[in-house]
Each structure stands twice: as structure tokens, then as C-alpha cells.
Amino acid sequence: MAIDFGQIRRSEHLPARIATHIAREIGEGRIKPGDRLPTEHILAKAFGVSRSVVREAIAQLRNEGLVETRQGVGAFVRDMHVRPTIRIEQEELVDRESFRSLFQLRMPLEIEAAGLAAVHHDAEDMKQLNAALDQMTGAEKWTDQGILADLAFHRALAAATHNEYFPLFIGFIAERISHAINAARATAVLEEIVEVTIAEHVVIRDAVALRDPLKARDAMRQHLLGAASRLDLSLETF
């Protein structure tokens, strides 16, 4: 399997760019159904990025149904006839109303996930949530890695529901609104954004740890409304 992995030009959306590059290789038949993707180490070296960026790109491909991951084995290209058909192209979200609509969809999914996570989480789930929070701490860490950590937190929360469909749908949406974090970071004082964002995530984590679904749901609701406000998005709430 000969694949042309040219180094990706650095940008604020490295995982998305890498996922798009690999998806193109799949679409053009250079990577075929059943093929195993190169290891994280090999991909990171080929693209000139960190392994965490590669992991994020693979997660996006998985959420799009292009690959499936097998623990301890790797990521494999799925047959096109059994892939999910839902797709949202990143270019569509340049339109503000489309972006607002997707953010609106995010609300009920993540609020419900927070409540279920409070009920069903285990020790490993809390370990993942805490690890993501640790990576987010401090303005000096609020770079690409901090953004990935924010996404990792929401994925870990979805996984803590122990309902396999929450990570699938929340992960799918999170990939497409990740630039919201960059937009928020660009429209306010960085230190303030970092402090507020981390504080909101801490409240969510604490409510989940207490196994209080009502507090967890409310904490997630307040976080998403706050994020929408920082992006100057007007959401319908009832």
C-alpha cells in the first residue's frame, strides 16, 4: 500500500487537514477497504505533526464512518457500502446560520450526555476527564494541544454515558465545531477565556463525580450557553 503522505502545512486545524488528506487517499482508491492505516508514529512522522494530532484526525475519520478502530490492532478502512451516510462539509459551516444550527443541535445531546455520565461513569471515565482538564490548565497551554484537550473532555464525557451512540454523534459534531474554540479565543482576552472555560469544565466534572445528573445537566447547559455567548451566537432555549 503506497500512500503519498506529504507534510501538512501548519494551521489551527491540523487534525481536520490531515483527516481530509487521508479521506482523499481513501476516496481515490490509494487506501482500500480493509487496509490498515499506518501507525500513529508513522503518520506523525510522515505529516510532521505530534501523535496527539494524528489521534484527533483518526477520531474524525472514525466519526465520519471512513475507518473503524480496533483496540490494540489499529485503524482500518471501512467498506463504503456500510459507512454511515451523514456528512457535514466544513465549508458549509462558514455560513453563520448553518454553524448556529449545528451548535443548537449540540445542546440537547451534550446536556443529556452529562446527566447520563453522572449516573453511569466509572473510575476510568473519571481518569480520562481529569486528564483532559489537566491538559487544559493554564493560558500558556491553551494552544492547539489545549483545544484538543477540550475536545477530549467532551468525548470522554460522551463515553462515560456507556451508550455507544453518544460518542459517535457528539464526536461527529465536535469535529465540525472545534473551530468555535479558536473563534472564541480570538474574540476576547485569552486569559479570561481560559479561566472561564476551565471553570465551566470543572463544574461539569465535579457534578459528574458527585453522581448528580441534575447538576451535571445544568452545568453543561451553562457551559454551552456561555460558549455560544462568547461566539455571539443566539440559541433558542426553553
Side-chain angles (χ1 to χ4, degrees):
M1 178 176 57
I3 309 169
D4 178 20
F5 289 129
Q7 287 203 351
I8 295 296
R9 178 168 52 85
R10 291 201 169 275
S11 73
E12 292 183 341
H13 307 294
L14 280 173
R17 290 176 61 83
I18 291 171
T20 298
H21 188 94
I22 296 175
R24 187 181 304 117
E25 295 287 313
I26 294 172
E28 294 177 359
R30 285 186 287 275
I31 312 179
K32 302 182 184 303
D35 284 349
R36 184 174 68 177
L37 296 185
T39 65
E40 286 181 5
H41 175 75
I42 292 174
L43 288 173
K45 185 175 180 180
F47 285 121
V49 299
S50 69
R51 292 178 66 174
S52 62
V53 171
V54 169
R55 280 194 293 272
E56 189 71 18
I58 297 301
Q60 177 172 334
L61 292 169
R62 183 179 65 245
N63 291 330
E64 291 182 352
L66 291 174
V67 304
E68 61 178 344
T69 54
R70 304 171 191 171
Q71 189 170 4
V73 181
F76 294 80
V77 178
R78 299 185 65 179
D79 189 300
M80 62 178 295
H81 299 297
V82 297
R83 294 175 193 161
T85 58
I86 183 171
R87 289 185 65 87
I88 301 175
E89 298 298 338
Q90 196 68 39
E91 290 76 11
E92 296 177 34
L93 301 183
V94 174
D95 177 73
R96 186 168 182 79
E97 184 58 28
S98 296
F99 180 71
R100 190 199 70 82
S101 295
L102 188 60
F103 206 102
Q104 183 80 62
L105 175 60
R106 180 188 185 189
M107 289 280 292
L109 285 174
E110 294 227 45
I111 291 171
E112 186 67 14
L116 290 171
V119 174
H120 297 294
H121 75 269
D122 57 26
E124 179 60 26
D125 295 321
M126 290 307 305
K127 180 180 177 181
Q128 295 301 318
L129 288 172
N130 288 329
L133 269 179
D134 287 344
Q135 292 179 44
M136 291 168 62
T137 303
E140 71 280 2
K141 296 182 180 178
W142 202 246
T143 56
D144 287 342
Q145 296 303 314
I147 294 168
L148 295 181
D150 186 294
L151 294 174
F153 181 93
H154 287 270
R155 285 205 187 90
L157 194 74
T161 66
H162 291 254
N163 177 323
E164 63 180 311
Y165 296 107
F166 272 96
L168 178 65
F169 283 93
I170 288 176
F172 181 86
I173 293 173
E175 295 294 347
R176 281 143 192 83
I177 63 175
S178 62
H179 70 276
I181 302 169
N182 288 318
R185 183 176 61 173
T187 57
V189 178
L190 177 58
E191 290 78 4
E192 294 178 0
I193 288 293
V194 171
E195 291 176 4
V196 170
T197 301
I198 292 175
E200 290 171 352
H201 284 78
V202 168
V203 174
I204 296 169
R205 188 276 312 276
D206 289 350
V208 170
L210 290 172
R211 295 194 180 277
D212 189 326
L214 294 181
K215 284 185 178 180
R217 287 169 58 88
D218 184 63
M220 179 60 78
R221 180 184 181 86
Q222 295 307 314
H223 166 55
L224 293 176
L225 288 174
S229 177
R230 291 188 285 276
L231 292 164
D232 196 27
L233 293 176
S234 177
L235 301 181
E236 294 181 276
T237 58
F238 303 97

